[in-house]
Amino acid sequence: EGACANAITTFVDKSDGYITAWSWNFGDDTMQSTSTEKEPVHIYHVAGLYNVTLTVTTAAMQSFSFSKPVLVTEGAIITNTIDLQNGMLVSLSSADAYQWIKDDVLITDAVEKTFAYDGAPGVYTVAANVLNNCRMLSSPFVVSALDKE
């Protein structure tokens, strides 16, 4: 399996049986290098070969681990793609799909070209599906508590 650097990679659990817990380790040393979601997403910022491990726990409290290498290839960061317009963050990139992210965490259901944010400080990025099905990240758009439109 492969992934693109600076792009959102979705991991899919293909385990059989009644699974009650998931523990993913994406093999890199980032703050978000683990997840307990069934089908998490992750962003690799550096190209390389990573060993991804999924440990599942069944209803009978049995644990099973599976590991698989993921080759992450270079991706390009889209530059200058977010603007603030009338209280909306707007992706200036043309793409088939979008996903908004705040402080390296996906914003649920924020999948349009525009995002009506609540003014909360943070680092916003948008992933746009523009290149070989890699959802490439924009440059960060930083909103501080002192910003005014």
Side-chain angles (χ1 to χ4, degrees):
E1 297 289 322
C4 298
N6 294 309
I8 297 172
T9 301
T10 302
F11 290 88
V12 178
D13 171 32
K14 294 184 178 180
S15 303
D16 291 330
Y18 185 66
I19 307 300
T20 58
W22 298 263
S23 178
W24 292 86
N25 184 318
F26 304 114
D28 59 352
D29 293 326
T30 62
M31 291 183 61
Q32 303 290 328
S33 65
T34 61
S35 176
T36 56
E37 294 179 27
K38 179 180 180 182
E39 296 188 346
V41 296
H42 185 66
I43 299 170
Y44 289 98
H45 295 285
V46 178
L49 186 63
Y50 298 91
N51 192 42
V52 176
T53 301
L54 169 62
T55 301
V56 295
T57 304
T58 66
M61 300 305 291
Q62 294 177 306
S63 292
F64 301 95
S65 292
F66 309 90
S67 293
K68 188 171 187 177
V70 173
L71 178 61
V72 178
T73 57
E74 283 296 328
I77 295 179
I78 303 166
T79 56
N80 302 321
T81 59
I82 299 176
D83 194 16
L84 179 61
Q85 300 174 3
N86 301 318
M88 303 282 283
L89 294 178
V90 179
S91 172
L92 301 180
S93 296
S94 178
D96 297 326
Y98 301 88
Q99 174 63 63
W100 288 90
I101 303 157
K102 179 184 177 209
D103 299 327
D104 285 333
V105 177
L106 268 66
I107 302 170
T108 305
D109 298 326
V111 294
E112 301 295 328
K113 185 176 180 98
T114 60
F115 172 64
Y117 84 111
D118 59 7
V123 177
Y124 293 84
T125 53
V126 62
N129 188 7
V130 295
L131 178 65
N132 299 328
N133 289 324
C134 285
R135 291 178 272 179
M136 306 310 288
L137 290 180
S138 67
S139 299
F141 186 91
V142 179
V143 178
S144 75
L146 303 177
D147 284 343
K148 294 185 181 187
E149 192 171 334

